[in-house]
Amino acid sequence: MKHIEVNIKHALGNIGREQIEALLPEVADGLSKLHNGTGLGNDYIGWLDLPSRIDSGLLADLKSSAETLRANCDTVVAIGIGGSYLGAKAVIEALNNSFDAYISSSEAPKVLFAGQNIGEDYLYELQQYLADKRFGIIVISKSGTTTEPAIAFRLLKEQLERQMGKAEASKRIVAITDAKRGALRQLATEEGYKTFVIEDSVGGRFSVLTPVGLLPIAVAGYDIEALVNGAREMQKATLEPNLENPSALYAATRNALYRAGKKTEILVNYNPKLHFFGEWWKQLYGESEGKDHKGIFPAAVDNSTDLHSMGQWIQDGERTIFETVISVDSTRHSVIIPADDDNLDGLNYIAGKHVDQVNKMAELGTRIAHVDGGVPNMRITIPALEERYLGQLIYFFEKACGISGYLLGVNPFNQPGVEDYKRNMFALLEKPGYEQDTEAIKARI
Ligand code: PA5
């Protein structure tokens, strides 16, 4: 079976293999808590067997809704934030043509995103762009009450109804939310929108393989069945409490590095299409691990671009970091560097080589330099940027995240810390029900 591989050879140095092996009993305990539902946050482990549970009926329903949107819309705006945004964005960016936004003849509708910020100019410019478009909306919010997507949806719903009429607009809006609770569920029922459910037991950052991620990905024209099949392969490959289990190996290695003082993990890619995969990964690990004043800080860089900005710090700054590189074996296309008679740029020594051969040497040269500079380096190799391998990678990281949280001794499935800013924001905006908080916060400013 062709699948992703984890190589920890160059992560050793600060720690030895024996320190990783010593964590095996804790890894086994973490896996058993996940598999038996006996660990902290066990109400939120529905993602664990999700790939094998997704039935063909749901996949068919998702494909048919995607086809309806594709047939009727030239642009579909996916509205959501955090876990209701990053998974779809990561997969679509990894699979899309890098210049998709500028290719007007592309068959699939453009999938744009909103509700992931509170940018007034962003929303103004989006509304201007949509003014002459046949657009549709996928509104995604598990709670149905998150401020950012609620503002974007209020604006775009009003615009769509103005442009299309209320009845036609209702056919172009799909809501993905809780089965029963929340304002979005109520609105969807009242307006007769097509809906999909986010299960109670799947938290936002683990929801990419639910309709939250799958519908926008299908609308963009990608094979969600292959994505789920890849995840199913990884579900099977990550069951055993040993270091042949790639998620266990990754979780144990990063935890051993953390215990040895490496407090920041940098996820590195050498393919610009993976930028948003890094963003998805940061949310997954940041929200899962960063609590009780513990947790590896998840950072990400895009190389070789960032070798010209962050490269100095990584090579030479404080030695509290380690790197995890996602290395993609093969490219989709072939570009050969041409020879040049004048050779003024001195590049003839690489004439005839594929661009990716140069990229791979940048990756190898950087790894050797960083390891020499005291930065442990793990490598996760995937055969290609295809749906199947992205599905494997997603599940691999999710499973490793669950194990990592238990190795750290935290509940990996809650996010109590994100409520604090919301309470302050609501108090400052004088939201009804926050009167006392408003008074208290105003006294502090
Ligand atoms: O991982 C999480 O649970 C969060 O990041 C949520 O996904 C994010 O806050 C969006 O929440 P909701 O889908 O309820 O609007």
Side-chain angles (χ1 to χ4, degrees), residues 155-172:
L155 286 164
L156 296 191
K157 172 181 180 288
E158 190 270 331
Q159 179 174 359
L160 188 60
E161 289 176 351
R162 201 170 1 95
Q163 286 177 206
M164 293 279 163
K166 205 169 163 58
E168 192 55 35
S170 298
K171 294 185 203 151
R172 290 158 187 254

Side-chain angles (χ1 to χ4, degrees), residues 80-86 140-149 176 198 202-207 212 283 287 413-415 418-419 421-422:
I81 195 166
S84 293
Y85 153 65
L86 284 163
I140 310 168
S141 179
K142 186 173 185 214
S143 63
T145 55
T146 309
T147 308
E148 291 90 336
I176 305 178
I198 313 174
V202 181
R205 58 190 174 275
F206 289 86
S207 69
V212 170
Q283 189 210 358
E287 274 193 350
F413 307 118
N414 65 1
Q415 54 284 327
V418 302
E419 297 310 315
Y421 95 88
K422 290 184 193 169

Side-chain angles (χ1 to χ4, degrees), residues 26-45:
E26 286 178 62
V27 168
D29 183 55
L31 270 172
S32 136
K33 283 178 176 150
L34 284 173
H35 296 161
N36 299 316
T38 52
L40 289 169
N42 57 9
D43 286 352
Y44 289 96
I45 53 170

Side-chain angles (χ1 to χ4, degrees), residues 61-204:
D61 197 8
L62 285 164
K63 282 193 221 164
S64 137
S65 289
E67 275 317 311
T68 306
L69 287 170
R70 282 165 67 84
N72 293 304
C73 307
D74 50 34
T75 307
V76 173
V77 187
I79 297 179
I81 195 166
S84 293
Y85 153 65
L86 284 163
K89 178 77 176 168
V91 173
I92 293 171
E93 290 284 312
L95 296 172
N96 255 359
N97 183 304
S98 306
F99 300 95
D100 183 68
Y102 310 102
I103 302 173
S104 50
S105 62
S106 151
E107 273 173 37
K110 306 282 177 221
V111 178
L112 304 180
F113 292 87
Q116 81 283 33
N117 59 48
I118 328 178
E120 185 155 349
D121 290 338
Y122 185 94
L123 285 165
Y124 177 88
E125 286 157 14
L126 177 62
Q127 288 200 284
Q128 291 291 105
Y129 176 79
L130 294 173
D132 60 353
K133 301 288 182 301
R134 292 184 313 130
F135 74 98
I137 299 173
I138 304 173
V139 54
I140 310 168
S141 179
K142 186 173 185 214
S143 63
T145 55
T146 309
T147 308
E148 291 90 336
I151 292 173
F153 184 52
R154 182 182 276 219
L155 286 164
L156 296 191
K157 172 181 180 288
E158 190 270 331
Q159 179 174 359
L160 188 60
E161 289 176 351
R162 201 170 1 95
Q163 286 177 206
M164 293 279 163
K166 205 169 163 58
E168 192 55 35
S170 298
K171 294 185 203 151
R172 290 158 187 254
I173 298 176
V174 179
I176 305 178
T177 189
D178 186 85
K180 296 193 192 81
R181 289 182 300 266
L184 183 55
R185 168 59 56 188
Q186 194 187 333
L187 183 71
T189 308
E190 279 168 18
E191 305 275 356
Y193 301 150
K194 168 76 184 163
T195 62
F196 288 95
V197 170
I198 313 174
E199 296 174 29
D200 278 347
S201 62
V202 181

